[in-house]
Amino acid sequence: MDVHGECASGLYRRRRDEVAAQASGAGRSPADIEYTTAENATWSAVLDALIPRWRATGARSVCAGVDALSLPRRRVPQLAEVTAALAPLTGFRFEAVPGLVDKVTFFGALGDRRFLSTQYVRWGASPLYTPEPDVIHEVVGHAHVLTDPRLAELHVLAGRALTRVKSPQSQQFVADVFWFSGEFGVVTEDGRWRAYGAGLLSSVGELDWFADHARIRALDIAAMGTLPYDITQYQPVLFGARSLDEVLDVVAGFFAGCTDDSITALVSASGGRRWKEAS
């Protein structure tokens, strides 16, 4: 990165920290953010790139969520606006946090139909992909997914599962199953793989990449809970279902009934697959 790039990156980080400092926190109504012209332009550019791709590679229910939420296309919506549109559909509301929170806090909120969201906008010099959770990922990805009652229930049950189990290993297992479903899940529709995971849906680059390059395996809870992954790279392995009903049956069914003992038994029966060390 040259001097000008370093300067721009530093300005971005300072702006990100400025917005993060205004987060009201979990359990509180989010403060409104005065977004800049550049941030609104980044939001608009990403939506202009994503929405046409969703028609080709997004699950039908997620595409329907675009019309259901009817979010502004030329400016970043306030989280209160997102809640006003989303809550009547599935009961979910958005709350503002400064950045990443621990697993128990994040998933505990999901179990209560609360989504803890950042409010800052990704770096405008790299608008089509970011490994960090920004308001575009949270709102464009998760909020549209949460318009579907089945996927909203998946989020709720994942949240309740992670707070129900007690060991760090079991909690990480639940979080990783959610990673390969709520964040990077795919289903077949009309004979094609289509994304329902928010991580895929909020990344233009990965939407263009996954169908032709990712290895898509059948749903396998033991593998989903133990397979290593790198959050800074496109995901080379995904887990696909024949329908969202299968996702609810297999993945949400696991979330609904899992315990520390059942997760330990799954890992043991999987033939000794590596159980990632919980962070």
Side-chain angles (χ1 to χ4, degrees):
M1 182 182 296
D2 61 22
V3 173
H4 295 295
E6 290 177 356
C7 181
S9 177
L11 290 173
Y12 163 71
R13 287 193 295 270
R14 285 195 291 275
R15 173 59 178 168
R16 180 190 62 190
D17 293 345
E18 175 186 313
V19 173
Q22 299 177 61
S24 303
R28 299 179 180 179
S29 298
D32 285 350
I33 303 298
E34 188 174 341
Y35 290 105
T36 67
T37 299
E39 288 164 341
N40 286 325
T42 297
W43 167 272
S44 180
V46 174
L47 260 67
D48 285 348
L50 279 174
I51 300 305
R53 286 170 169 82
W54 284 12
R55 305 300 179 191
T57 58
R60 281 191 293 268
S61 65
V62 176
C63 294
V66 175
D67 295 327
L69 284 187
S70 192
L71 296 177
R73 292 285 291 271
R74 297 297 169 235
R75 63 173 178 83
V76 185
Q78 302 297 333
L79 294 188
E81 291 180 86
V82 178
T83 293
L86 181 60
L89 301 175
T90 59
F92 261 90
R93 60 191 184 275
F94 270 57
E95 297 172 358
V97 291
L100 289 172
V101 297
D102 64 87
K103 288 189 290 289
V104 173
T105 299
F106 178 77
F107 280 88
L110 288 184
D112 193 32
R113 294 185 185 268
R114 295 182 294 117
F115 193 93
L116 303 185
S117 173
T118 54
Q119 292 174 289
Y120 50 79
V121 178
R122 65 190 58 176
W123 189 20
S126 182
L128 301 187
Y129 172 77
T130 176
E132 67 177 349
D134 76 323
V135 72
I136 294 176
H137 168 72
E138 319 277 41
V139 173
V140 178
H142 284 284
H144 286 110
V145 167
L146 289 170
T147 62
D148 184 282
R150 293 164 296 181
L151 294 175
E153 186 69 4
L154 181 76
H155 281 64
V156 170
L157 292 173
R160 293 175 180 173
L162 191 137
T163 54
R164 181 172 63 249
V165 300
K166 301 305 178 186
S167 76
Q169 292 87 354
S170 294
Q171 290 175 343
Q172 188 63 53
F173 188 98
V174 170
D176 290 346
V177 172
F178 183 78
W179 173 267
F180 283 113
S181 53
E183 292 286 359
F184 286 91
V186 296
V187 295
T188 54
E189 292 178 349
D190 304 322
R192 299 182 60 186
W193 289 114
R194 295 179 179 271
Y196 71 87
L200 284 172
L201 291 166
S202 60
S203 171
V204 172
E206 199 145 15
L207 275 181
D208 286 343
W209 185 88
F210 87 88
D212 293 328
H213 298 91
R215 177 189 174 198
I216 301 178
R217 300 173 55 178
L219 294 180
D220 179 339
I221 296 298
M224 293 164 76
T226 56
L227 184 70
Y229 55 85
D230 182 350
I231 66 171
T232 68
Q233 303 293 325
Y234 291 169
Q235 299 306 303
V237 177
L238 302 175
F239 292 87
R242 290 167 293 183
S243 66
L244 286 181
D245 288 336
E246 185 185 10
V247 174
L248 205 64
D249 181 49
V250 176
V251 183
F254 160 73
F255 289 145
C258 67
T259 64
D260 288 280
D261 289 343
S262 72
I263 291 173
T264 300
L266 263 178
V267 174
S268 177
S270 70
R273 292 189 182 100
R274 185 171 71 90
W275 192 350
K276 293 192 293 298
E277 180 178 346
S279 58

